[in-house]
């Protein structure tokens, strides 16, 4: 009998579309904004005030009609901040590829980056590249050139970490570059009203799209809680993007804050124990933290996994391969919902991963736990 149910948010409760939009806008800003590299791109140059049609055009270009998103998801990349970093690196590495044969360019670029990544260094890097090569036009077609054949998230990050050493002979702190992407993404998603900046970005918090009927999902959470089942969340969203929409839809009240783990909590844990990075999914850290309601990073990382006897007690509800892998490592049961990026076409992937249950949507958790109707299909 399940005693704990842990939910992902994106692709389960709320649509991922706006997160993917913000990711694409962030990558394009880093490559084309005069505050960063100042290149041109097939997605157009940086603008802060975009129509929905403009946003769609940027995303289709950056992620190649979402083919790149599917590749990232298929190897367990779940966090949008990671997506921003990995795609940005693949395009910048291509722009800098002439460094392998052009020693003058290589020296100039290395001089700019020798002190490490910063917004100022990226801006100066753009100046140097434009001086030596003209204004590059980013095509967003070089993901496979860097990551082709990679089968895990760790392999993607290993290639991203080493590519600049190969090109420039420098050991750069990739985390600083990741942080710049993360901060820029937050500006796009939260907008000026929440960041108190003056970028002209409106943000996406007020345009969240629920994947389930809000009233029906609220009733499900209420009934699960009333039955004695403990509810938790493990999400790649930061805290604000988690709490604001869940409060709006009336869902937040059913979750103990100690059993809610967000990307903000993961960042804190990685700062406490830098050697443990990355702790985002598919690492089970966030699910373990929510299950135990324990914020002691060291103790959590020392917990032997998989947890014995938890498959019959703990159910993780997610939409991604990263969620499935985290559930396996934790020792929990996994219910896949077909409301993520690939929709119903994701079913064969979850069958191969031997998901315990495959649901059309999160509302079918009711049939799984609160009735004997058996609507949910066991994989």
């Amino acid at each position: 009998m399940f005693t704990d149910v842990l939910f992902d948010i994106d692709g389960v409760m709320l649509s991922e579309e706006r997160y993917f939009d913000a990711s694409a806008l962030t990558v394009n800003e880093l490559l084309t904004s005069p505050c960063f590299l100042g290149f041109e791109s097939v997605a157009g140059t940086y603008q802060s005030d975009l129509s929905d049609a403009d946003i769609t055009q940027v995303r289709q270009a950056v992620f190649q009609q979402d083919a790149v998103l599917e590749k990232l998801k298929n190897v367990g990349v779940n966090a949008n901040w990671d997506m921003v970093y990995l795609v940005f690196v693949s395009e910048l590495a291509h722009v800098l590829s002439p460094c392998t044969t052009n020693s003058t360019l290589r020296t100039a670029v290395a001089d700019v980056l020798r002190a490490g990544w910063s917004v100022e260094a990226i801006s100066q890097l753009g100046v140097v590249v434009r001086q030596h090569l003209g204004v590059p036009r980013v095509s967003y077609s070089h993901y496979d050139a860097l990551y082709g054949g990679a089968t895990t998230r760790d392999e993607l990050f290993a290639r991203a970490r080493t590519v600049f050493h190969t090109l420039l002979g420098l050991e750069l702190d990739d985390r600083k570059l990741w942080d710049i992407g993360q901060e820029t993404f937050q500006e796009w998603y939260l907008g000026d009203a929440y960041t108190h900046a003056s970028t002209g970005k409106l943000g996406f918090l007020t345009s969240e799209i629920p994947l389930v009927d809000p009233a029906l999902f609220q009733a499900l959470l209420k009934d699960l809680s009333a039955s004695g089942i403990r509810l938790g969340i493990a999400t790649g969203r930061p805290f604000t993007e988690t709490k604001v929409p869940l409060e709006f839809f009336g869902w937040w009240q059913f979750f103990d804050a100690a059993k809610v783990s967000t990307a903000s909590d993961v960042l804190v844990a990685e700062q406490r124990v830098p050697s443990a990075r990355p702790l985002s999914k598919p690492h089970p850290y966030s699910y373990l933290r929510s299950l135990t309601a324990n914020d002691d990073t060291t103790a959590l990382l020392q917990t032997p996994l998989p947890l014995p006897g938890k498959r019959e007690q703990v159910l993780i509800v997610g939409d991604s391969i990263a969620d499935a892998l985290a559930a396996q490592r934790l020792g929990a049961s996994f219910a896949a919902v077909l409301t993520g990026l690939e929709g119903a076409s994701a079913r064969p992937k979850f069958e191969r991963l031997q998901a315990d249950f495959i649901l059309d949507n999160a509302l079918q958790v009711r049939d799984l736990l609160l009735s004997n109707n058996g609507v949910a299909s066991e994989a």
Side-chain angles (χ1 to χ4, degrees):
M1 177 179 178
F2 291 114
T3 58
D4 294 83
V5 178
L6 307 176
F7 291 93
D8 183 21
I9 291 180
D10 291 295
V12 177
M13 303 181 194
L14 300 174
S15 171
E16 297 177 281
E17 293 302 306
R18 287 311 197 183
Y19 260 81
F20 294 146
D21 289 344
S23 298
L25 293 169
T26 302
V27 173
N28 202 55
E29 178 179 358
L30 293 173
L31 287 161
T32 67
S33 169
C35 294
F36 293 106
L37 289 170
F39 299 161
E40 295 178 353
S41 90
V42 296
T45 53
Y46 166 72
Q47 299 178 65
S48 61
D49 185 13
L50 297 166
S51 67
D52 283 343
D54 293 331
I55 293 170
T56 297
Q57 179 182 340
V58 172
R59 175 172 156 184
Q60 288 179 343
V62 172
F63 293 134
Q64 300 206 330
Q65 288 71 50
D66 288 350
V68 169
L69 288 178
E70 290 186 19
K71 291 175 182 178
L72 288 163
K73 286 278 194 176
N74 286 343
V75 295
V77 176
N78 190 66
N80 288 270
W81 297 337
D82 291 346
M83 295 175 184
V84 168
Y85 167 77
L86 291 166
V87 175
F88 173 76
V89 167
S90 68
E91 294 303 321
L92 179 57
H94 173 75
V95 170
L96 296 180
S97 60
C99 289
T100 57
T101 56
N102 185 331
S103 61
T104 302
L105 173 64
R106 187 175 192 264
T107 298
V109 169
D111 286 345
V112 168
L113 295 178
R114 203 171 303 280
W117 294 106
S118 65
V119 173
E120 295 74 17
I122 292 174
S123 177
Q124 188 57 37
L125 174 60
V127 172
V128 168
V129 170
R130 296 194 301 271
Q131 288 175 343
H132 286 79
L133 300 177
V135 181
R137 182 172 173 80
V138 177
S139 65
Y140 293 113
S141 60
H142 300 99
Y143 177 91
D144 287 334
L146 183 57
Y147 305 121
T151 58
T152 67
R153 181 189 63 164
D154 289 346
E155 191 174 353
L156 296 183
F157 273 88
R159 295 189 191 185
R161 279 194 297 269
T162 58
V163 66
F164 296 115
H165 180 266
T166 301
L167 291 171
L168 306 172
L170 296 177
E171 294 288 350
L172 297 171
D173 183 354
D174 61 299
R175 184 68 185 198
K176 291 183 178 179
L177 179 58
W178 188 96
D179 287 342
I180 293 169
Q182 181 260 344
E183 291 163 4
T184 307
F185 175 96
Q186 290 305 104
E187 291 178 357
W188 276 110
Y189 206 86
L190 293 175
D192 291 351
Y194 281 89
T195 63
H196 306 295
S198 300
T199 65
K201 298 168 183 171
L202 298 178
F204 294 108
L205 269 182
T206 58
S207 57
E208 294 275 14
I209 304 168
L211 291 174
V212 289
D213 180 282
L216 292 178
F217 194 65
Q218 182 182 47
L220 169 63
L221 296 176
K222 181 179 180 180
D223 291 345
L224 288 172
S225 296
S227 73
I229 293 175
R230 295 181 291 266
L231 303 178
I233 289 172
T235 176
R237 289 175 172 240
F239 180 76
T240 300
E241 290 102 301
T242 298
K243 185 178 181 182
V244 170
L246 265 62
E247 281 188 328
F248 177 80
F249 290 117
W251 302 338
W252 180 258
Q253 60 185 305
F254 299 104
F255 295 95
D256 179 349
K259 293 177 74 65
V260 174
S261 296
T262 70
S264 304
D265 301 304
V266 170
L267 284 179
V268 169
E270 291 177 337
Q271 290 164 358
R272 291 171 179 167
V273 188
S275 62
R277 292 173 178 162
L279 291 176
S280 56
K281 301 174 192 177
H283 195 290
Y285 177 84
S286 56
Y287 280 116
L288 179 62
R289 182 183 181 279
S290 293
L291 176 64
T292 59
N294 183 2
D295 191 42
D296 186 333
T297 302
T298 301
L300 291 172
L301 293 175
Q302 291 176 347
T303 302
L305 298 177
L307 298 173
K310 293 299 181 182
R311 280 185 61 82
E312 297 77 24
Q313 298 176 359
V314 180
L315 179 68
I316 288 175
V317 182
D319 71 301
S320 70
I321 289 175
D323 292 311
L325 295 175
Q328 289 175 2
R329 291 182 63 184
L330 186 66
S333 290
F334 178 64
V337 294
L338 301 179
T339 45
L341 176 64
E342 297 179 69
S345 63
R347 177 180 288 272
K349 295 177 183 178
F350 290 125
E351 289 174 345
R352 287 194 295 272
L353 286 167
Q354 299 182 319
D356 298 280
F357 308 96
I358 300 178
L359 315 179
D360 291 333
N361 57 63
L363 292 176
Q364 288 189 344
V365 169
R366 175 180 295 278
D367 302 293
L368 184 60
L369 300 183
L370 298 176
S371 75
N372 296 315
N373 293 336
V375 173
S377 62
E378 293 195 36

